[in-house]
């Protein structure tokens, strides 16, 4: 399960979280976990000590994934696809660690992952009253500035040691709640183990979002500090045992984003505007990459990680789009909104307090449609998939914003964000010029197509050059591929940036004004009033259904509960587990059902009756990739890596009869570390020997 998830239309059985959650639904915050509900359903409820241990063992990775501590020496379990970028970074033309896998024989062999940061939640504080007081009755630009300024102050006050702490105020229920998440962060994260991509993603795109699965989608990282592994006395127990059908299991992680609380008008905007535009954007870029990589081994090696992400994102957004186009699914979404509106209408006090936020949001979506194209192409998609362009814009904007008081900056450049931004800008990472050129040229060509040749921003971006000529000039002329150059510009601030003769820096300085102008329009004319309206909707939900609700996912720590189980759909029953025998039976020797040589060679040694992957009805979404799946004792029995095809409408609603998470079992990981990729050092650490 990568950071962006695929969603499909479900015509029946959707339970939406406008009322108290039912069945095993919910991505619950740790400070509001419904232990009593779990006790009523399963006869067991995690106590505070259990919750605290699990929270302190759960990590958020800045690449958009989750993970967990599984030893006292900082060993971290996550998914293979969560470390693909790291494996790509350390690969060379003679050592491809995505194709061939990676295993560090000793601590000295563990390799640092550029740009990666791991974060553990140490405290959650409710700051709703303070933020809402700062907002008061303000609207538009005044609201956005007051909110962002107060958030900046809270985050700065909350963390006094930027070297080890990170503070983040999280918006929940669309503005109904604001909570300060305090993190202990680790900036030195190293790769320990990752199998070959053909083993981790066996079945490839055809099997993606489906089940049965036979994927060894697990990897290990390690936390370091001052050049040494971090001592982590709070960690989870490794339990290499098969899951039991029907047993209670928990998933702790950082689900990225759900949109279950959107109104009909907001969902219509996605259905009619944003999702179709994104699908066209991704599909054409996919085609350009495949064409460029065909017959070129080096481009295939260096482009495979980006292609993997684009293909996954394309399927994710296509499924979401189809979900909103499905009459049955859309009808249930409309019904839940109608039920909430009826409850508000029947409560005069609430109705008077909130007014009509549904109509407010409908009007705002009309306005958003008017500015979406320039906002999308000049701001959201600027530079396309180019790392160099992204770095240049971040350096320029950071310099401009740091010249302002902290409370007046764009949120992404406030003091609480700068340490991570600097790390991501200055860590050494490979740059592939051909990818940079194709990315920038594609963005410019699509911007011209969407905004028209005569649009002033397009004329400014291209001048008398073609998109390809601009991209070639910028990529071949820039020195931003050198981390020392990026570091000098970042530390030098506005003076260094304005004095730079780097063509990419000069290009951003010359043209980013149009992007910033449309960004401000979005922040002040759309985002701020949407926040105000959604805050009123939160008030309506609390009044109608009480506080036994969970907020939409925000890539912050959540806990879900459920049971190991399969499902039945259209008369077909799917069992909740797969075994190694099925993996070898599925292998054809051709992509994407090609097993790596080491896996094939181990066939005679593998116990083919052991479980590889399994399903449970936990509520998850993208960002849960790498999340540990725990038994009632809090022991790790697997790592979540995907959802089944029915779960993928989870962006908008949860169906407990069909939605399933998909995990790789600890049994499979241990079998692999014993018989395919012998790793006695890791096994001894996992078992605390």
């Amino acid at each position: 399960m990568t950071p962006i998830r695929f969603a499909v239309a479900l015509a029946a059985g959707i339970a939406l979280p406008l009322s108290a959650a039912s069945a095993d639904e919910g991505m619950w915050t740790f400070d509001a976990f419904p232990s009593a509900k779990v006790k009523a359903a399963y006869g067991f409820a995690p106590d505070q000590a259990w919750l605290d241990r699990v929270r302190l063992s759960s990590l958020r990775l800045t690449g958009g994934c989750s993970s967990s501590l599984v030893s006292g020496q900082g060993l971290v379990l996550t998914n293979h696809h969560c470390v693909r970028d790291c494996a790509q970074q350390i690969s060379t033309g003679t050592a491809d660690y995505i194709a061939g896998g990676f295993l560090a024989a000793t601590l000295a062999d563990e390799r640092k992952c550029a740009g990666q940061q791991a974060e553990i939640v140490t405290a959650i504080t409710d700051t709703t009253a303070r933020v809402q007081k700062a907002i008061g009755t303000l609207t538009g630009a005044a609201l956005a500035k007051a909110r962002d300024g107060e958030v900046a102050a809270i985050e700065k006050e909350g963390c006094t040691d930027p070297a080890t702490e990170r503070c983040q105020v999280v918006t929940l229920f669309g503005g109904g709640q604001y909570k300060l998440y305090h993190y202990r962060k680790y900036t030195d994260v190293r790769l320990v183990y990752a199998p070959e991509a053909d083993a981790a993603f066996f079945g490839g795109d055809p099997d993606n979002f489906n089940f049965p699965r036979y994927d060894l989608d697990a990897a290990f990282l390690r936390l370091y500090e001052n050049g040494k592994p971090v001592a982590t006395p709070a960690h989870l127990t490794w339990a290499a045992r098969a899951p039991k059908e029907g047993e209670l299991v928990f998933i702790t992680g950082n689900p990225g984003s759900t949109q279950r609380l959107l109104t009909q008008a907001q969902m219509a905007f996605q259905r009619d505007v944003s999702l179709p535009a994104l699908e066209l954007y991704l599909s054409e870029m996919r085609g350009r990459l495949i064409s460029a990589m065909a017959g070129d081994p080096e481009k295939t090696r260096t482009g495979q990680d980006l292609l993997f992400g684009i293909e996954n994102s394309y399927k994710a957004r296509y499924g979401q789009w189809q979900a909103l186009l499905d009459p049955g699914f859309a009808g249930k979404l409309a019904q839940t909104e109608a039920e909430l509106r009826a409850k508000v209408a029947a409560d005069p006090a609430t109705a008077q307090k909130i007014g009509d936020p549904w109509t407010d949001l409908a009007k705002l979506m009309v306005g958003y449609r008017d500015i979406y194209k320039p906002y999308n192409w000049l701001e959201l998609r600027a530079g396309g998939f180019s790392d160099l362009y992204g770095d240049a814009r971040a350096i320029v904007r950071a310099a401009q914003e740091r010249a302002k008081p902290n409370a007046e900056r764009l949120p992404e450049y406030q003091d609480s964000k700068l340490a991570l931004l600097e790390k991501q800008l200055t860590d050494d990472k490979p740059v592939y010029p051909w990818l940079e050129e194709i990315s920038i040229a594609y963005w410019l060509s699509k911007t011209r197509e969407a905004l028209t040749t005569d649009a002033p921003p397009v004329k400014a971006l291209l001048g008398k050059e073609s998109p390809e000529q601009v991209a070639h000039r910028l990529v071949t002329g820039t020195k931003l591929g050198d981390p020392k150059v990026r570091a000098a510009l970042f530390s030098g601030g506005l003076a260094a940036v304005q004095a730079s003769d780097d063509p990419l820096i000069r290009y951003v300085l010359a043209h980013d004004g149009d992007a910033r102008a449309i960004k401000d329009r979005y922040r002040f004319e759309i985002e701020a009033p949407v926040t105000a309206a959604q805050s009123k909707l939160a008030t309506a939900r609390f009044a109608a259904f009480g506080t036994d609700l969970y907020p939409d996912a925000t890539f912050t720590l959540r806990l879900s509960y459920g049971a190991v189980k399969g499902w039945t759909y259209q008369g077909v029953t799917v069992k909740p587990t797969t075994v190694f025998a099925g993996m070898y039976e599925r292998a054809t020797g051709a992509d994407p059902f090609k097993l790596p040589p080491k896996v094939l060679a181990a066939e005679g040694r593998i116990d083919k009756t052991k479980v590889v992957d399994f399903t449970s009805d936990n509520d998850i979404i993208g960002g849960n990739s790498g999340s540990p799946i725990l038994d009632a004792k809090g022991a790790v029995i697997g790592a979540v890596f995907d959802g089944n095809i029915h779960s993928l409408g989870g962006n908008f609603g949860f169906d407990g009869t069909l939605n399933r998470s998909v995990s790789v079992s600890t049994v499979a990981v241990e079998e692999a570390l014993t018989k395919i990729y012998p790793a006695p050092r890791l096994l001894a650490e996992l078992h605390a020997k």
Side-chain angles (χ1 to χ4, degrees):
M1 176 168 287
T2 51
I4 301 177
R5 283 294 72 184
F6 180 43
V8 296
L10 298 177
I14 298 299
L16 297 174
L18 295 179
S19 57
S22 60
D24 293 342
E25 177 184 351
M27 304 172 195
W28 301 92
T29 59
F30 268 71
D31 60 339
F33 186 73
S35 292
K37 193 171 184 178
V38 180
K39 178 75 171 178
Y42 291 98
F44 167 82
D47 58 18
Q48 193 59 50
W50 190 101
L51 291 170
D52 288 343
R53 182 171 69 87
V54 169
R55 171 175 53 80
L56 293 171
S57 303
S58 304
L59 299 93
R60 179 172 71 173
L61 301 177
T62 53
C65 284
S66 300
S67 59
S68 60
L69 288 165
V70 289
S71 87
Q73 295 80 49
L75 190 66
V76 174
L77 171 68
T78 189
N79 289 152
H80 173 275
H81 70 258
C82 293
V83 304
R84 277 184 68 110
D85 186 55
C86 183
Q88 181 71 60
Q89 292 169 7
I90 65 174
S91 293
T92 66
T94 57
D96 185 345
Y97 294 117
I98 291 182
F102 177 85
L103 176 61
T106 68
L107 283 175
D109 297 316
E110 296 175 358
R111 302 285 297 276
K112 188 172 182 179
C113 298
Q116 185 56 265
Q117 181 165 293
E119 302 168 342
I120 299 172
V121 176
T122 57
I124 303 172
T125 306
D126 193 333
T127 59
T128 305
R130 181 170 169 181
V131 177
Q132 290 186 341
K133 181 180 179 181
I135 293 173
T137 59
L138 298 174
T139 60
L143 183 156
K145 292 177 179 179
R147 177 198 60 200
D148 295 346
E150 194 63 25
V151 165
I154 293 170
E155 291 177 343
K156 190 162 188 176
E157 293 167 14
C159 286
T160 57
D161 181 10
T164 63
E165 299 175 303
R166 181 183 179 189
C167 282
Q168 177 187 13
V169 173
V170 180
T171 303
L172 303 173
F173 296 103
Q177 291 179 354
Y178 294 89
K179 294 189 178 181
L180 173 65
Y181 278 60
H182 188 286
Y183 293 94
R184 174 63 163 92
K185 70 177 187 181
Y186 297 92
T187 58
D188 187 348
V189 182
R190 305 188 190 182
L191 183 62
V192 179
Y193 158 77
E196 308 94 334
D198 284 344
F201 196 48
F202 180 65
D205 198 55
D207 273 5
N208 203 12
F209 317 117
N210 287 299
F211 199 81
R213 293 290 288 276
Y214 303 90
D215 292 14
L216 297 176
D217 197 350
F220 289 102
L221 300 165
R222 192 183 303 278
L223 308 182
Y224 279 74
E225 204 161 47
N226 300 318
K228 298 179 180 180
V230 173
T232 49
H235 63 83
L236 301 174
T237 302
W238 180 263
R241 68 166 181 84
K244 300 174 183 177
E245 187 167 1
E247 76 168 299
L248 171 65
V249 287
F250 299 85
I251 292 176
T252 172
N254 299 271
S257 175
T258 55
Q259 296 166 309
R260 299 179 182 180
L261 304 181
L262 296 187
T263 65
Q264 287 290 287
Q266 290 172 297
M267 290 186 184
F269 177 85
Q270 294 211 13
R271 181 194 66 214
D272 300 338
V273 180
S274 62
L275 287 173
L278 182 55
E279 282 300 277
L280 289 171
Y281 174 70
L282 293 171
S283 62
E284 185 174 336
M285 185 62 185
R286 175 178 182 263
R288 291 190 180 210
L289 278 178
I290 291 173
S291 177
M293 292 162 62
D296 189 319
E298 184 60 10
K299 285 185 177 180
T300 297
R301 181 186 74 81
T302 55
Q304 61 185 332
D305 191 36
L306 177 58
L307 179 61
F308 171 83
I310 287 174
E311 288 185 329
N312 194 79
S313 297
Y314 174 81
K315 291 184 74 172
R317 297 314 191 194
Y318 181 77
Q320 291 178 7
W321 186 21
Q322 295 308 299
L324 292 177
L325 288 170
D326 181 85
F329 183 73
K332 289 188 176 293
L333 294 174
Q335 180 183 348
T336 56
E337 179 173 303
E339 290 172 356
L340 178 60
R341 297 186 74 161
K343 284 182 175 290
V344 170
D347 180 357
T350 300
Q352 183 177 8
K353 183 176 182 180
I354 70 168
D356 188 0
W358 293 277
T359 297
D360 294 340
L361 286 165
K363 292 177 180 178
L364 288 167
M365 291 305 99
V366 172
Y368 193 9
R369 289 175 186 244
D370 290 341
I371 70 167
Y372 181 74
K373 280 188 177 181
Y375 178 61
N376 184 55
W377 293 107
L378 299 177
E379 175 62 21
L380 293 180
R381 309 291 169 214
F385 297 93
S386 166
D387 288 337
L388 289 176
Y389 190 95
D391 288 348
R393 188 165 77 159
I395 288 168
V396 168
R397 287 189 175 183
Q400 293 168 337
E401 293 300 304
R402 283 186 295 167
K404 305 174 184 177
N406 186 46
E408 296 177 14
R409 299 176 194 166
L410 291 172
E412 54 266 41
Y413 298 100
Q414 291 168 348
D415 286 340
S416 60
K417 314 294 195 306
L418 290 179
L420 177 57
L421 176 62
E422 182 175 11
K423 172 182 171 56
Q424 293 176 325
L425 282 172
T426 59
D427 275 1
D428 196 1
K429 57 190 177 185
V431 173
Y432 308 118
W434 77 272
L435 271 181
E436 296 295 321
E437 284 198 38
I438 200 173
S439 295
I440 294 175
Y442 177 57
W443 163 60
L444 289 171
S445 68
K446 300 307 290 186
T447 301
R448 179 175 62 185
E449 179 182 312
L451 303 185
T452 76
T453 303
D454 295 323
V458 174
K459 286 185 174 181
L461 287 168
L462 292 176
K464 297 294 184 179
E465 296 177 286
S466 70
E468 290 73 22
Q469 288 171 325
V470 173
H472 182 72
R473 173 171 59 82
L474 296 177
V475 174
T476 57
T478 187
K479 299 294 190 295
L480 293 184
D482 185 342
K484 293 180 181 178
V485 172
R486 299 194 299 269
L489 285 167
F490 185 84
S491 62
L494 192 56
V497 167
Q498 291 176 333
S500 174
D501 62 358
D502 188 278
L504 252 179
I505 295 294
R506 302 311 308 172
Y507 191 79
V508 172
L509 281 169
H511 306 301
D512 197 42
D514 287 324
R516 294 192 60 141
I518 197 66
K519 180 182 179 72
D520 281 346
R521 284 195 64 188
Y522 171 76
R523 290 177 66 215
F524 303 149
E525 297 176 17
I526 308 299
E527 182 188 35
V530 163
T531 297
Q534 289 180 158
S535 179
K536 294 176 181 178
L537 287 174
T539 299
R541 290 188 181 97
F542 295 149
F545 305 115
T547 58
D548 186 21
L549 304 172
Y550 63 91
D552 265 325
T554 52
F555 195 46
T556 50
L557 191 62
R558 304 293 180 88
L559 185 63
S560 72
Y561 65 93
V564 175
K565 63 175 67 172
W567 71 97
T568 298
Y569 181 65
Q570 294 184 344
V572 178
T573 296
V574 181
K575 294 182 178 180
T577 58
T578 61
V579 297
F580 275 99
M583 171 191 287
Y584 287 101
E585 291 169 4
R586 209 175 189 83
T588 66
D591 287 330
F593 298 100
K594 179 178 67 176
L595 287 172
K598 289 181 181 179
V599 180
L600 288 172
E603 183 175 3
R605 300 187 298 273
I606 290 287
D607 182 346
K608 293 184 178 179
T609 67
K610 288 191 173 181
V611 172
V612 181
D613 299 333
F614 65 98
T615 61
S616 65
D617 69 350
N618 297 74
D619 193 359
I620 60 166
I621 202 71
N624 274 120
S625 290
S627 293
I629 184 164
L630 315 173
D631 63 17
K633 295 179 180 179
V636 183
I637 63 170
V640 180
F641 70 91
D642 212 341
N644 72 342
I645 197 73
H646 305 289
S647 74
L648 303 174
N651 189 60
F652 304 109
F654 179 78
D655 178 2
T657 64
L658 295 173
N659 287 19
R660 297 292 180 267
S661 66
V662 180
S663 303
V664 58
S665 75
T666 49
V667 172
V669 176
E670 184 143 324
E671 190 77 354
L673 293 177
T674 303
K675 299 174 182 176
I676 303 175
Y677 322 101
R681 179 176 74 98
L682 282 184
L683 290 170
E685 184 174 352
L686 288 169
H687 291 283
K689 294 181 180 179

